[in-house]
């Protein structure tokens, strides 16, 4: 099997490629990635020499390039993925998440190959109670979520119109090694290690369902092998937590690692102006994947957070290089302003 994995230099897909190469010794992986600010080939340093792995720098929207690549199936992780950036400028989100996905669908249709589309629980929007299942309406609230919902609908249209063999997964919030430090969990860990203010949006009571990245990778692999084409699968961990609880947990654990008193880092918590259109609560029901694909998350949340903190402590060079790049400019405009309020 020759898998075309898109966005493989990002957080989740780099973990996924590492997983696939070790779980399926007969598989080859081609990683197609544009290397945006979020793409980092250092995420794959340990496997880059493997003769079963090939990297191609390119855009998923480049149809001419896609026609030159040989593969048997596509797993599409590539996306603009950060909600705050989509609020500042929605255009790149539409370009990659919608138009780019359309180019991949076209080549998959021409080749008649399987297309697994990695989507998100954000497409369902927010709910004060209960949990969304795969038949729930799509009510995205941020430009990021709207672009992902649009791509899901395009995938559906290719299945209906062209009989494309496709599947869609919708996962909740991931955390773990190699996550770009603009997202909540790595941001809190690094700001704690660097004694910087930790911006908590609004009242800190927004709720997310957190899943360890390797559990998500196993779920994607299970759907690829055991899922039914034409189907959508929610991937969640039944692990809902308000943001402030996560922040305090991380600060307690980082203090412990650094030999500080439990409360020593708590003063870093800084409540800031809320994200525009901030979804209050995401909640999905993962019963279908558990029942039909026989997958379950394995990582206990506290253990996963400890493992993640340890990874960031032992991989200082990885994040120090990121913090000196263009990201700092964005960070200063985005958070510098908020921290003043
Ligand atoms: P990420 O931002 O860390 O990585 C995205 C990768 O895509 C980067 O390597 C980037 O260079 C690449 N990319 C962007 N535009 C491209 C283009 N036009 N052509 C080729 N490559 C391009 O993202 P992530 O957090 O790893 O998310 C991966 C996927 O999973 C996304 O589709 C996202 O919507 C979805 N998802 C993420 C989460 C989460 O919590 N992070 C949860 C559910 C679903
Ligand atoms: O639910 C899945 C989605 O999870 C994915 O589709 C997205 O790609 C991914 O970025 C993530 O979106 P969120 O907006 O939920 O993640 P983020 O880490 O940006 O924020 C998590 C919560 O923490 C959210 O309620 C906003 C809040 N937050 C975030 C940051 C970066 C803060 O309070 N302070 C912060 O500095």
């Amino acid at each position: 099997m020759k898998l075309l994995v898109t966005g493989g230099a990002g957080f989740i897909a780099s973990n996924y490629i590492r997983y696939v190469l070790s779980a399926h010794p007969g598989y080859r992986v081609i990683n197609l990635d544009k290397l945006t600010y979020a793409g980092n080939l250092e995420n794959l340093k340990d496997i880059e020499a493997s003769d079963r792995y090939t990297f191609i720098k390119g855009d998923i929207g480049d149809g001419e390039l896609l026609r030159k690549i040989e593969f048997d199936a596509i797993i599409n992780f590539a996306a603009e993925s950060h909600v705050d950036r989509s609020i500042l400028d929605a255009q790149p989100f539409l370009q990659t998440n919608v138009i780019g996905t359309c180019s991949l669908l076209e080549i998959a249709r021409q080749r008649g190959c399987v297309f697994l589309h990695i989507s998100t629980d954000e497409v369902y929007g927010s709910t004060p109670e209960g949990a969304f299942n795969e038949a729930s309406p799509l009510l995205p609230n941020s430009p990021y979520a709207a672009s992902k919902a649009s791509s899901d609908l395009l995938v559906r249209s290719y299945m209906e119109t062209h009989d494309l063999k496709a599947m869609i997964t919708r996962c909740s919030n991931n955390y773990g090694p190699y996550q770009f430090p603009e997202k909540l969990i790595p941001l809190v860990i690094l700001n704690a290690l660097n004694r910087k203010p930790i911006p908590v949006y609004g009242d800190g009571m927004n709720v997310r369902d957190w899943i360890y990245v390797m559990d998500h990778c196993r779920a994607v692999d299970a759907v690829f092998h055991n899922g039914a084409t034409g189907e959508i699968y929610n991937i969640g961990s039944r692990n809902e937590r308000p943001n402030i609880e996560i922040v305090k947990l991380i600060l307690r654990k980082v203090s412990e690692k650094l030999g500080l008193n439990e409360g020593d880092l708590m003063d870093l918590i800084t409540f800031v102006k809320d994200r525009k259109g901030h979804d209050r609560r995401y909640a999905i029901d993962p019963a279908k994947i558990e029942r039909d694909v026989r997958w379950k998350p394995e990582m206990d949340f506290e253990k996963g957070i400890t493992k993640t903190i340890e990874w960031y402590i032992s991989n200082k060079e990885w994040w120090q290089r990121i913090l000196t790049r263009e990201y700092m400019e964005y960070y200063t405009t985005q958070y510098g302003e908020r921290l003043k309020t």
Side-chain angles (χ1 to χ4, degrees):
M1 168 68 68
K2 232 186 215 180
L3 268 186
L4 177 64
V5 175
T6 70
F11 162 48
I12 301 172
S14 60
N15 280 289
Y16 180 70
I17 291 174
R18 184 173 296 103
Y19 175 79
V20 165
L21 289 175
S22 88
H24 305 293
Y27 280 29
R28 304 175 73 84
V29 172
I30 301 149
N31 169 14
L32 172 64
D33 197 296
K34 186 179 171 183
L35 298 183
T36 66
Y37 78 93
N40 185 352
L41 289 176
E42 291 186 18
N43 297 1
L44 289 160
K45 242 192 153 80
D46 51 330
I47 57 128
E48 69 187 4
S50 164
D51 57 5
R52 295 192 289 126
Y53 169 76
T54 309
F55 172 67
I56 299 175
K57 182 172 188 294
D59 194 316
I60 56 168
D62 183 347
E64 208 171 302
L65 171 65
L66 294 176
R67 280 191 288 280
K68 291 183 195 149
I69 307 174
E70 268 181 52
F71 52 83
D72 303 312
I74 301 176
I75 306 188
N76 180 30
F77 288 90
E80 288 293 337
S81 70
H82 191 41
V83 172
D84 288 325
R85 289 182 189 252
S86 80
I87 295 166
L88 294 176
D89 181 7
Q91 206 66 40
F93 287 75
L94 298 181
Q95 198 56 47
T96 285
N97 302 0
V98 186
I99 310 291
T101 298
C102 190
S103 302
L104 289 172
L105 287 166
E106 256 315 296
I107 194 79
R109 174 183 80 78
Q110 287 162 21
R111 305 262 176 103
C113 74
V114 168
F115 185 87
L116 173 52
H117 182 61
I118 308 303
S119 188
T120 167
D121 63 354
E122 295 202 15
V123 298
Y124 300 117
S126 178
T127 181
E129 57 196 24
F132 296 113
N133 64 33
E134 290 80 356
S136 299
L138 301 187
L139 293 169
N141 293 317
S142 70
Y144 160 70
S147 70
K148 293 296 288 188
S150 306
S151 63
D152 287 16
L153 293 179
L154 262 180
V155 176
R156 178 190 149 83
S157 76
Y158 270 68
M159 294 195 279
E160 293 296 318
T161 307
H162 299 297
D163 285 329
L164 182 77
K165 293 188 280 278
M167 293 175 278
I168 297 173
T169 59
R170 294 181 179 146
C171 191
S172 61
N173 284 62
N174 285 224
Y175 69 96
Y178 301 102
Q179 187 165 29
F180 195 83
E182 65 188 349
K183 308 279 166 65
L184 181 71
I185 286 181
L187 182 100
V188 174
I189 296 172
L190 296 194
N191 282 19
L193 293 174
N194 295 319
R195 310 291 196 277
K196 283 190 174 167
I198 290 167
V200 176
Y201 299 171
D203 62 1
M205 291 306 290
N206 299 66
V207 171
R208 300 290 184 264
D209 167 13
W210 293 94
I211 184 170
Y212 190 65
V213 64
M214 223 18 113
D215 279 332
H216 183 192
C217 293
R218 285 191 308 100
V220 167
D221 203 52
V223 167
F224 183 72
H225 290 99
N226 309 324
T229 54
E231 295 295 325
I232 297 170
Y233 298 95
N234 286 345
I235 304 171
S237 223
R238 303 180 200 272
N239 178 41
E240 287 183 35
R241 311 218 173 208
N243 295 335
I244 191 69
E245 187 191 302
I246 308 259
V247 171
K248 288 184 176 164
L249 173 71
I250 294 173
L251 293 182
R252 274 200 304 278
K253 284 186 179 283
V254 172
S255 304
E256 207 178 287
K257 294 267 166 224
L258 301 182
L260 304 170
N261 293 321
E262 197 176 299
D264 280 355
L265 297 174
M266 293 293 167
D267 287 350
L268 295 176
I269 295 177
T270 312
F271 287 92
V272 299
K273 203 163 113 198
D274 211 351
R275 173 186 277 175
K276 281 187 184 176
H278 195 176
D279 281 332
R280 193 67 172 167
R281 174 173 174 264
Y282 295 145
I284 46 167
D285 178 2
K288 180 175 170 181
I289 188 173
E290 292 174 349
R291 185 188 63 233
D292 295 355
V293 180
R294 290 179 304 284
W295 165 90
K296 263 190 188 319
E298 287 174 357
M299 182 61 84
D300 164 80
F301 184 64
E302 293 231 359
K303 278 196 193 130
I305 286 289
T306 305
K307 232 172 129 77
T308 305
I309 292 171
E310 285 167 356
W311 187 86
Y312 280 90
I313 290 176
S314 341
N315 287 276
K316 200 169 171 184
E317 281 180 10
W318 179 89
W319 54 260
Q320 275 184 331
R321 272 197 280 276
I322 288 173
L323 293 188
T324 56
R325 293 201 319 223
E326 141 208 9
Y327 158 69
M328 278 317 286
E329 196 185 311
Y330 162 78
Y331 184 88
T332 316
T333 7
Q334 177 73 359
Y335 298 106
E337 275 312 302
R338 283 177 192 232
L339 290 171
K340 278 187 216 149
T341 61

